[in-house]
């Protein structure tokens, strides 16, 4: 358990983020009318919150939408909800556990067989966990859910994205990346850290990853990261009860609901003017400046190389 001093420190740090968002956050909306008939979109964590509202919007535009999650019951309910509210019956659920490399590999193998294309990949899944713990792959769980798992998934589906170009990779990050204490030599997150720092580190890696992808992807495949705003979603479910209740109460008073929070993600998925835009960071449906570290090309490459090595070293089957 955290000491009283640590709890006060964490509360003040969260309060700083909340005050800043109160002063600066708007509620911009994606206004483009892009249709997605014939397109295939995959959304991790698409059964609730921002992911659900993103899936609903893309389905309404005519895309075949696949929700990837480990919660079967919640995902099946989400699929029926999206079908009912959009009239699009091409909405499906596939089981994916980002905490297991073996599950990610199995998912990618099955997706490759079942779907002939992949036009939009939304790496939306995210978690904030109170306790520092590790996956069966030996990676800190927040880092694996928020960054390393999506990194592997994207690599395994890259051939499909390239074959379907123009295609887009959208990575849901957070303004919390500015409060990081990341060590690029410890991508696995083995160093003991506070919950907020582990979350912030994972979100910094998300932006560095988008930059690295942009340098390596062929023309026609883009990768961008974004901050959705402070949103009332289930991402806080892994927190201690008192932190979760306080956070959700404050968010419900001042910040975005899930539908509002999904707008920047949707914009990154469908805005026609972004077809060739890559390696950027978005807030409120606009390109914004991220932490200056994300413009350090040596760091971008270093984190990419270390993450790739980490993944290859721990895969049950070769990449």
């Amino acid at each position: 358990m955290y000491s009283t001093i640590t709890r006060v420190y964490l509360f003040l740090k969260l309060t700083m983020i909340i005050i800043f968002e109160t002063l600066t956050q708007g509620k911009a909306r994606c206004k483009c009318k892009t249709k997605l008939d014939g397109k295939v979109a995959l959304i991790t964590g698409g059964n609730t919150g921002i992911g659900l509202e993103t899936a609903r919007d893309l389905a309404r535009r005519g895309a075949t939408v696949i929700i990837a999650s480990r919660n079967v019951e919640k995902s099946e309910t989400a699929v029926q909800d999206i079908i009912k509210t959009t009239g699009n019956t091409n909405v499906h659920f596939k089981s994916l556990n980002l905490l297991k490399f073996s599950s990610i590999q199995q998912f990618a193998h099955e997706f490759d067989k079942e779907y002939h294309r992949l036009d939009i990949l939304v790496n939306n899944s995210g978690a904030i966990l109170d306790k520092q713990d590790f996956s069966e792959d030996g990676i800190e769980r927040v880092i694996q859910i928020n960054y390393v798992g999506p990194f592997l998934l994207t690599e395994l589906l890259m051939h499909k994205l390239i074959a379907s170009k123009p295609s887009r990779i959208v990575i849901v990050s957070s303004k919390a990346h500015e409060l990081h204490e990341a060590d690029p030599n410890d991508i696995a997150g083995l160093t003991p850290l506070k919950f907020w720092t582990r979350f912030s580190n994972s979100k910094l890696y998300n932006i560095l990853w988008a930059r690295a992808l942009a340098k390596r992807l062929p023309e026609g495949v883009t990768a961008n990261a974004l901050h959705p705003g402070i949103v009332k979603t289930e991402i806080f479910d892994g927190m201690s009860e008192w932190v979760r209740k306080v956070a959700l109460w404050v968010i419900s008073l001042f910040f975005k609901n899930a539908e509002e929070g999904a707008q920047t993600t949707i914009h990154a998925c469908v805005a026609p003017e972004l077809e060739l835009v890559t390696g950027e960071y978005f807030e409120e449906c606009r390109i914004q400046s991220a932490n200056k570290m994300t413009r350090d090309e040596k760091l971008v490459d270093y984190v990419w190389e270390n993450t790739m090595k980490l993944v290859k070293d721990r895969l049950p089957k070769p990449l």
Side-chain angles (χ1 to χ4, degrees):
M1 296 292 292
Y2 295 130
S3 68
T4 301
I5 293 175
T6 301
R7 286 179 180 273
V8 171
Y9 167 77
L10 293 174
F11 181 77
L12 290 175
K13 204 167 189 179
L14 284 169
T15 301
M16 182 174 65
I17 290 287
I18 289 169
I19 290 173
F20 183 81
E21 285 289 299
T22 302
L23 295 174
T24 62
Q25 180 170 266
K27 292 187 177 180
R29 302 191 67 83
C30 177
K31 298 179 180 179
C32 66
K33 306 299 182 183
T34 307
K35 293 295 183 182
L36 298 174
D37 299 275
K39 305 292 187 181
V40 175
L42 170 60
I43 304 161
T44 66
N47 59 10
T48 188
I50 294 170
L52 173 60
E53 297 307 324
T54 301
R56 191 190 315 279
D57 184 277
L58 301 187
R60 189 173 286 121
R61 295 172 187 269
T64 294
V65 174
I66 298 94
I67 288 174
S69 171
R70 62 177 176 171
N71 189 315
V72 177
E73 183 178 355
K74 188 177 292 184
S75 297
E76 290 176 345
T77 299
V79 166
Q80 293 307 311
D81 177 38
I82 294 170
I83 291 173
K84 182 179 179 179
T85 55
T86 67
N88 184 347
T89 58
N90 291 318
V91 182
H92 311 283
F93 160 66
K94 285 190 66 62
S95 180
L96 170 66
N97 185 351
L98 289 170
L99 281 171
K100 295 183 177 183
F101 280 4
S102 57
S103 173
I104 298 170
Q105 285 191 305
Q106 182 64 29
F107 175 93
H109 176 70
E110 292 177 1
F111 185 95
D112 200 32
K113 291 193 300 181
E114 293 177 29
Y115 297 94
H116 69 289
R117 61 185 304 116
L118 178 57
D119 302 274
I120 301 169
L121 170 57
V122 183
N123 286 300
N124 166 81
S125 289
I128 304 175
L129 302 177
D130 196 14
K131 180 182 177 182
Q132 185 164 13
D133 201 358
F134 298 88
S135 72
E136 65 178 34
D137 303 302
I139 299 169
E140 198 280 320
R141 294 174 71 206
V142 169
I143 295 293
Q144 182 152 340
I145 293 171
N146 295 359
Y147 171 55
V148 178
F151 181 102
L152 172 59
L153 176 67
T154 302
E155 284 301 303
L156 293 174
L157 295 175
M158 188 61 70
H159 65 288
K160 192 74 75 175
L161 287 156
I162 293 172
S164 306
K165 62 183 185 178
S167 55
R168 305 187 188 195
I169 301 166
V170 177
I171 302 165
V172 179
S173 182
S174 170
K175 188 184 288 290
H177 79 273
E178 296 178 356
L179 298 178
H180 72 91
E181 296 177 20
D183 177 359
N185 293 304
D186 182 25
I187 300 296
L190 303 181
T191 304
L193 294 170
K194 297 177 288 292
F195 79 87
W196 189 250
T197 303
R198 288 181 275 119
F199 177 76
S200 301
N201 288 354
S202 72
K203 294 306 181 179
L204 174 67
Y205 293 144
N206 284 159
I207 302 173
L208 293 168
W209 174 32
R211 305 278 198 228
L213 281 172
K215 296 171 65 174
R216 292 162 172 80
L217 294 171
E219 184 176 352
V221 185
T222 62
N224 292 295
L226 64 96
H227 169 53
I230 296 181
V231 184
K232 186 177 181 180
T233 72
E234 295 180 9
I235 193 173
F236 297 97
D237 284 359
M239 300 302 302
S240 61
E241 185 176 0
W242 77 274
V243 173
R244 180 175 59 82
K245 285 184 175 180
V246 170
L248 292 179
W249 176 71
V250 173
I251 291 168
S252 67
L253 290 178
F254 299 107
F255 300 110
K256 298 179 180 182
N257 59 35
E259 191 271 339
E260 293 166 337
Q263 294 304 308
T264 301
T265 303
I266 295 164
H267 180 75
C269 288
V270 303
E273 66 270 25
L274 301 182
E275 185 169 322
L276 299 178
V277 175
T278 189
E280 298 292 351
Y281 170 73
F282 287 79
E283 294 181 24
E284 298 295 335
C285 299
R286 298 187 302 273
I287 295 174
Q288 300 287 351
S289 296
N291 185 292
K292 64 181 181 180
M293 287 182 66
T294 65
R295 294 292 182 183
D296 183 335
E297 296 301 327
K298 290 184 179 179
L299 179 62
V300 167
D301 290 338
Y302 191 70
V303 169
W304 168 272
E305 291 161 3
N306 280 3
T307 306
M308 187 63 76
K309 183 177 186 304
L310 173 69
V311 167
K312 288 182 176 180
D313 287 348
R314 304 189 185 208
L315 272 178
K317 298 177 183 178
L319 185 64

